Every structure is written in structure tokens, then in C-alpha cells.
Amino acid sequence: IRTKECVRTLQAHGHRVWLAAFGQVGDILMSCSDDQTIKRWDIVTGNCLSTLQTYRNTVPSVAVSPDGLTVAGGYEDSCIRLWNLETGKWVKTLASHTNLVGAVGFDANGRYLVSGSDDQTLKLWDVETGECVRTFWGHQDWITSVAFHPKSYCVASGSHDGTVKVWDVKSGECLHSLNEHTGLLKAGAFSPDGDQLASAGNDQKIKLWDVNSGLCLQTLEGHEGGVLAIAFSSDGRWLASGSSDKAIRLWNRKTGKCSKILKGHKGQV
């Protein structure tokens, strides 16, 4: 990041890569693709360590459990499949959605998994039993992003209906419906301290929200295409964003200023 140089390119997928997700333990990096696989990577060497593949289905979403032992993949056939990362074996299928599962995420303890689907619903799963314990209704279009709050049982979801919603997991109540974006929502993430929620979409903007009040604190502008991915640094000081303009931007969370622009991709990020 200091030099803005690309230090490693990971190549093994045979088609578009939808998402890459780091684990919280060790050097786990997982990716999912239109080539119907989930891959695990060694980030030091750039080697593909293993490939997880089941039925012939596109895998648009992936998440790693906090202990680094389980990987969840959201599939085109409306199912979520859980994999044991140590053995590479498929261990469980979670089935209740009726359309493509475009977003998945574990809670901080790894007990629950949340999923968002093109069926316009958000679902909460018990990872141990595989049971769907709650369904959240309220979005009017595809759900494209989900995120668990790092310190409480709240979930955020973003949708092609242009809204970000914050939900109370226990009651199922929608605490906030945030609708200042003017295009489809593509990404969302809580800051590590849990105070702020970032959202981004096709309007080329990133918005930072106060989680408690639901007020928009800042709008970050600079991308020349839709913003498709966002992630906070582990210390919460920085926010990274990827866009259809082929660039990654690093933002100072405190000032809202873009500090660096990373270029090198030939397609959308």
C-alpha cells in the first residue's frame, strides 16, 4: 500500500471472480467465481492451495468463519454450502432461499450466518444445525451485500432497491432504512469499532453512516464508475473501495480524503 505496487497476482480461476475474502486467522484468502469453484490461496507465494467444487453452479459469494475452519459459499441454485477448510469436504447445505444467494457473512462468534438473495429476503442460519431461524422481509429488489455488526446482533443489508437496511437480529425489526443513494447498492461494511456503516453502489459514491442514529456522516466521491466493493482496514483508519473504473481507492476515514489510487486491473474491481 505504501508504494502502490502490485506485489502478487493470483491466477487460477477460469472465469470472472466475484469476490475475495480474507479470514481472521492465519493467511486465509478465499475467492469465488463464475467458473463454479471456490479457491483457497497462499498469499505469500500466490499459489492456489485447494479448490472447492460441487455441482455446476456459479458461486457469487463466499465468507470465512472467524476460527478459519468453515467456508460458506452462496450459489446460483439458491443454496448455501458449508465446507470444512481443513479437509476440503462439503459438510452441509442450507436451503430456504428461492433464488441466487449473492451475499453471505458470519457473525463474530461463528455461530450464525446471514445470507442475502435475489429473492429479496435476508435469512439468519444456525451454523451448527443448518436451521433457518429467521427471515427478514423489506427489500424490494435483489440483496447484494450483508454484514454482521462486530459487537452486537445487528445486520446490515444493501439492495438493488437503492436502500441500506439495519436489522435487529433477535427481534427481526428494521432499525434503519437508509435511502440517500441514487443507484443500485453493491457493497456494505461495518467499521471495526462498530460505530459506522459504509455503503456503496452504482451512483459512484461511498457513504458513511452513524450506526446508532442512521445519519449520513460523510459522502466520499472520486470513482468514475460504480463502486462494487468496500472494506475497512483492521484498525479502522482506512477504507478501501473497488470500482468498475478499474481502480482501487484508499480513503482516510477521519478526513474523508482519498489518499491513494491503485491501478493495474484490466476489468472492474
Side-chain angles (χ1 to χ4, degrees):
I1 291 176
R2 293 194 202 95
T3 65
K4 299 195 291 186
E5 293 182 6
C6 176
V7 296
R8 189 84 59 202
T9 299
L10 312 181
Q11 292 180 308
H13 283 294
H15 214 291
R16 175 176 60 174
V17 177
W18 279 90
L19 184 69
F22 278 101
Q24 298 179 25
V25 178
D27 294 328
I28 299 173
L29 176 65
M30 307 299 298
S31 60
C32 59
S33 169
D34 272 349
D35 68 5
Q36 305 169 2
T37 69
I38 298 172
K39 292 184 182 292
R40 180 182 181 180
W41 304 87
D42 184 317
I43 61 173
V44 176
T45 66
N47 293 330
C48 178
L49 300 176
S50 59
T51 298
L52 312 178
Q53 186 170 19
T54 175
Y55 298 112
R56 295 183 177 180
N57 274 290
T58 291
V59 194
S61 55
V62 67
V64 185
S65 64
D67 60 12
L69 299 179
T70 305
V71 171
Y75 286 77
E76 186 181 27
D77 67 355
S78 77
C79 291
I80 302 154
R81 292 180 175 85
L82 303 182
W83 300 81
N84 183 306
L85 197 52
E86 291 184 327
T87 65
K89 301 295 185 182
W90 166 33
V91 295
K92 196 171 296 178
T93 298
L94 312 181
S96 181
H97 283 295
T98 59
N99 210 328
L100 177 151
V101 181
V104 290
F106 287 93
D107 78 326
N109 300 312
R111 178 182 176 185
Y112 293 108
L113 180 80
V114 66
S115 59
S117 169
D118 286 9
D119 66 11
Q120 304 179 14
T121 69
L122 195 72
K123 290 183 181 289
L124 182 71
W125 307 85
D126 185 303
V127 173
E128 182 65 29
T129 66
E131 178 188 1
C132 178
V133 296
R134 190 176 297 280
T135 298
F136 304 83
W137 301 86
H139 282 295
Q140 302 301 311
D141 209 328
W142 302 353
I143 297 175
T144 52
S145 70
V146 296
F148 256 107
H149 191 279
K151 298 180 179 180
S152 67
Y153 278 105
C154 290
V155 170
S157 58
S159 168
H160 275 192
D161 64 12
T163 68
V164 182
K165 295 183 184 294
V166 180
W167 309 84
D168 183 298
V169 169
K170 294 182 178 179
S171 69
E173 178 187 1
C174 181
L175 303 176
H176 300 295
S177 186
L178 314 175
N179 57 5
E180 290 191 19
H181 281 283
T182 57
L184 311 180
L185 264 292
K186 292 294 186 180
F190 283 105
S191 60
D193 58 17
D195 291 341
Q196 293 182 9
L197 171 67
S199 62
N202 279 2
D203 61 4
Q204 306 180 12
K205 298 176 182 178
I206 302 163
K207 291 184 178 289
L208 296 178
W209 308 85
D210 181 279
V211 172
N212 291 323
S213 68
L215 295 177
C216 182
L217 303 174
Q218 291 188 81
T219 299
L220 313 182
E221 297 183 73
H223 279 295
E224 297 175 356
V227 184
L228 308 179
I230 50 176
F232 283 96
S233 62
S234 58
D235 61 8
R237 295 174 57 199
W238 303 95
L239 180 69
S241 57
S243 168
S244 59
D245 66 11
K246 307 177 186 178
I248 299 168
R249 287 179 177 259
L250 298 180
W251 307 84
N252 184 303
R253 177 184 168 193
K254 185 176 181 180
T255 66
K257 302 296 184 181
C258 178
S259 298
K260 292 183 180 178
I261 302 175
L262 310 180
K263 295 184 177 181
H265 284 286
K266 296 179 180 179
Q268 65 184 28
V269 185

